[in-house]
Amino acid sequence: MRRPDLLVASRTAFAFAALALVACGTDSGSAPDAGVDATTDTAPDARTFENCFNDIDDNGDLLVDCADPQCRVLQSCRTYQCPDGDLGGRVGSAIFDGSTRDTNNDLAGTCGGAGGVELAFTWTAPETRDYLVDTRGDSYDTVVYVREGGCDGPELACNDDATEAPGPALQSEVRIEATAGATYLIVIDGYDVVLGDDGGDFVLNITPAQTEDETGFCGDGRDNDADGAVDCQDADCGDDPACAPLDGVLAISSGGAHTCALRAASELVCWGSGSRGQLGDGQSANRARPVSVDIAAVAVGAGPSATCAVSDDGGVWCWGAGDYSVISQDWTDVREPLAMDVEGTAAKVAIGYSHACALRDDGRVECWGQSDSGQLGDGVSGGGRRGPVFAALDGATDVCVAASFSCALDDEGAVFCWGYNGAGQLGNSSFDNATTPRRVEIDPAVRIACAQGNACAILESGALMCWGQNWSGQVGDGGSSSRALPTQVSLGGSKAVDVAVGANHACAATQGGEVWCWGGGWSGQLGRPDAGSNLRPARVDGVDGAVAVSAGSEHSCAVTSAGEVLCWGSNSTAQLGDQTRVGRATPGRVLAPRQD
């Protein structure tokens, strides 16, 4: 039985508070516009704020009054709310993209959801047929159920963890027999309270149970026409805007299970794992295709669970995991770009597990974060620095950051590393840690890369040298023991133009546009279906014209001369950017950001 609304007097009292809160707030948690409530004739975005007490969708985000993120902070909005919005007769992939955070816990399905907060939408079937209602692609553990008629109607279907959904068992799917013009209540509910967080981000799809072709449903992660090809792998989707490739890419950087790409006009996009906010889109959900980051960037560096970028005015901004106070002073995760206290004008930035470094345009390197192994390079070991300190190095032209060590390249081609050295990652023939930069015993170089426990450098001659941890063959010299001195890596006689180091593997692009990978390959990150681990580089088939590469924990990517991006390897958190969660050992194109 629906509980009565609060007394009019109470609503009036809270209205003034609502106006004050809304006037000062931002709508960072609201979903993108997907339509306008039937009770308003104002176009989306024409109004900035939601009036929390008029039963109208004022800002056009499909969420009315207390269901809107702008209103959820009000105590008066903790009362019963159903429905939260109206989907009209919308059908297709991702018809709603939003979050249940801070919503009410008023409903529950027979298959679960009693302990989680939910959003409930009315939906009107456009035609008589079977429909599939699902949350495919989510990282938030949802329950989906449908009621006939509305909030008090009988339950037609309920599901938690659809067995046919790709990826981990978090996504739900129900099938309903719908009648044209009939109204249904669709509920997206949190399964239960997990680590104190019973709300999260989700994507709602409503699609016909079977179609004659895939056209129009090229982004829902299913084989709608039952021909064995899903979404953009289906020929029906060749001209669909949902399958347009990401293009215009100038630079790329992969973190643990996410990747960010810098496009023309300083546009930055990211995709893959977003559980710690490392995609910078204000959410904490995985994204199966790129999303835009609200910053005009000229450089980007992705770390294991966080990302940093240099803005077009030389400032440094970071977002993602708040561990070790690298980003936030109180260890909290940050889901949108946050300005770092870096002096001067930055040219490049890199971030690792517990520290970060920025390269200034005057050749100085500033580092901050944990310093238990001397990885900040200021001569001190132990504790951490909340503010940047200068590494004892001048004239730097490049910098990279790994687990507990850092490396830099200077204007004479000399390579320096400092920090933890238990596997020889400082490249100076010892295994002793260093709190200040130590020169690597190597000829002049033009490019460096490091991650986890090893590093690589491209020499002026085009030769590739690697050193450090080597248990899965990530040094690439045919052995599996650590290397405290740089060792040459053969790329079939080709010269290297770019190199990337992942958690347990590495990849390089050659002068002829080829890509070679080596090291651990159990998730397909070496681009070879038959590879477990390769102790020496092997060419990746299906990549031509490569000009840059990146490597994450278990995936790899390459930028082509046409500005497109190809990725391969694990796809458990959608890090391949192809709108699926299906991993592959062969390169495939990353899709363009969704055009709503």
Side-chain angles (χ1 to χ4, degrees):
M1 178 70 67
R2 178 168 180 163
R3 297 197 300 270
D5 292 334
L6 292 181
L7 296 175
V8 174
S10 298
R11 281 181 170 263
T12 303
F14 281 112
F16 294 102
L19 290 174
L21 284 168
V22 170
C24 298
T26 59
D27 194 12
S28 60
S30 63
D33 289 326
V36 182
D37 188 80
T39 57
T40 179
D41 57 4
T42 304
D45 299 325
R47 304 184 185 181
T48 305
F49 303 116
E50 180 73 13
N51 182 324
C52 301
F53 307 106
N54 65 356
D55 294 325
I56 294 176
D57 177 18
D58 300 280
N59 59 5
D61 66 355
L62 284 182
L63 298 175
V64 178
D65 292 356
C66 287
D68 195 292
Q70 292 178 346
C71 302
R72 293 175 193 167
V73 296
L74 300 178
Q75 185 62 36
S76 60
C77 282
R78 296 302 179 183
T79 188
Y80 183 86
Q81 176 80 14
C82 182
D84 296 295
D86 184 7
L87 299 172
R90 295 171 62 84
V91 173
S93 303
I95 67 167
F96 188 86
D97 186 345
S99 174
T100 61
R101 287 189 185 88
D102 298 321
T103 57
N104 292 328
N105 182 22
D106 298 316
L107 305 170
T110 58
C111 62
V117 293
E118 73 279 328
L119 279 176
F121 299 94
T122 53
W123 174 72
T124 304
E127 60 179 309
T128 300
R129 66 178 305 156
D130 285 8
Y131 288 92
L132 296 172
V133 181
D134 69 79
T135 56
R136 287 172 178 263
D138 286 353
S139 58
Y140 162 54
D141 194 357
T142 56
V143 174
V144 171
Y145 45 98
V146 178
R147 294 182 178 182
E148 184 177 17
C151 299
D152 300 317
E155 183 181 278
L156 299 179
C158 186
N159 175 255
D160 170 47
D161 301 343
T163 57
E164 292 134 10
L170 299 175
Q171 307 155 38
S172 301
E173 176 180 279
V174 297
R175 180 172 180 145
I176 61 171
E177 297 180 8
T179 302
T183 298
Y184 301 87
L185 184 77
I186 296 174
V187 185
I188 300 89
D189 205 336
Y191 175 72
D192 208 340
V193 178
V194 180
L195 298 178
D197 182 11
D198 62 346
D201 306 315
F202 68 90
V203 175
L204 176 65
N205 308 294
I206 302 178
T207 54
Q210 185 171 339
T211 59
E212 294 181 0
D213 58 45
E214 198 80 9
T215 305
F217 307 101
C218 296
D220 62 357
R222 78 166 88 253
D223 181 11
N224 294 280
D225 57 3
D227 68 351
V230 177
D231 291 348
C232 297
Q233 284 75 45
D234 195 309
D236 296 333
C237 295
D239 297 325
D240 195 301
C243 295
L246 181 67
D247 58 9
V249 173
L250 306 175
I252 192 170
S253 181
S254 292
H258 76 290
T259 297
C260 294
L262 182 63
R263 305 175 80 185
S266 300
E267 180 188 3
L268 182 63
V269 296
C270 299
W271 63 93
S273 176
S275 60
R276 306 293 301 274
Q278 60 265 50
L279 302 186
D281 64 341
Q283 306 292 332
S284 57
N286 300 338
R287 300 299 188 187
R289 61 192 305 152
V291 292
S292 295
V293 184
D294 188 18
I295 183 174
V298 296
V300 61
S305 299
T307 310
C308 292
V310 178
S311 60
D312 54 6
D313 62 358
V316 174
W317 301 72
C318 297
W319 56 93
D323 303 341
Y324 302 100
S325 298
V326 177
I327 298 177
S328 60
Q329 301 299 312
D330 57 0
W331 287 57
T332 58
D333 293 351
V334 177
R335 298 198 294 266
E336 293 178 321
L338 179 67
M340 298 291 101
D341 186 21
V342 174
E343 298 180 17
T345 303
K348 183 174 181 178
V349 64
I351 186 168
Y353 284 103
S354 61
H355 75 294
C357 294
L359 170 65
R360 301 194 339 179
D361 60 1
D362 62 0
R364 301 194 71 184
V365 175
E366 292 182 74
C367 299
W368 63 98
Q370 193 73 7
S371 186
D372 55 325
S373 300
Q375 59 263 49
L376 303 188
D378 64 341
V380 178
S381 179
R385 309 287 189 278
R386 291 192 169 185
V389 295
F390 288 102
L393 180 76
D394 291 316
T397 60
D398 200 0
V399 65
C400 67
V401 167
S404 295
F405 75 101
S406 313
C407 294
L409 177 69
D410 75 5
D411 50 13
E412 294 183 353
V415 177
F416 295 85
C417 295
W418 58 95
Y420 183 71
N421 196 30
Q425 47 265 72
L426 303 190
N428 59 5
S429 76
S430 79
F431 291 92
D432 298 327
N433 296 351
T435 61
T436 57
R438 302 291 177 86
R439 183 161 183 169
V440 178
E441 299 180 22
I442 196 173
D443 290 339
V446 295
R447 193 177 300 270
I448 57 171
C450 57
Q452 192 73 6
N454 70 300
C456 295
I458 299 175
L459 305 185
E460 291 178 348
S461 63
L464 179 63
M465 309 290 288
C466 296
W467 62 93
Q469 192 177 72
N470 195 32
W471 71 276
S472 62
Q474 58 264 54
V475 168
D477 64 348
S480 57
S481 58
S482 297
R483 303 286 189 255
L485 283 172
T487 181
Q488 187 162 351
V489 180
S490 174
L491 302 176
S494 299
K495 295 182 178 181
V497 296
D498 194 30
V499 62
V501 179
N504 298 293
H505 77 292
C507 294
T510 70
Q511 201 171 57
E514 301 171 349
V515 171
W516 295 65
C517 295
W518 60 96
W522 44 83
S523 295
Q525 61 263 48
L526 303 187
R528 302 179 65 83
D530 58 346
S533 293
N534 279 351
L535 301 183
R536 297 185 186 276
R539 182 179 175 183
V540 178
D541 294 330
V543 181
D544 295 308
V547 295
V549 289
S550 66
S553 291
E554 296 183 4
H555 77 289
S556 309
C557 298
V559 180
T560 71
S561 56
E564 295 186 357
V565 178
L566 303 173
C567 293
W568 57 95
S570 173
N571 201 22
S572 60
T573 58
Q575 58 263 55
L576 301 189
D578 63 352
Q579 193 57 55
T580 78
R581 293 169 64 94
V582 180
R584 59 169 180 269
T586 54
R589 294 192 308 182
V590 174
L591 301 179
R594 184 184 302 279
Q595 300 298 317
D596 293 323

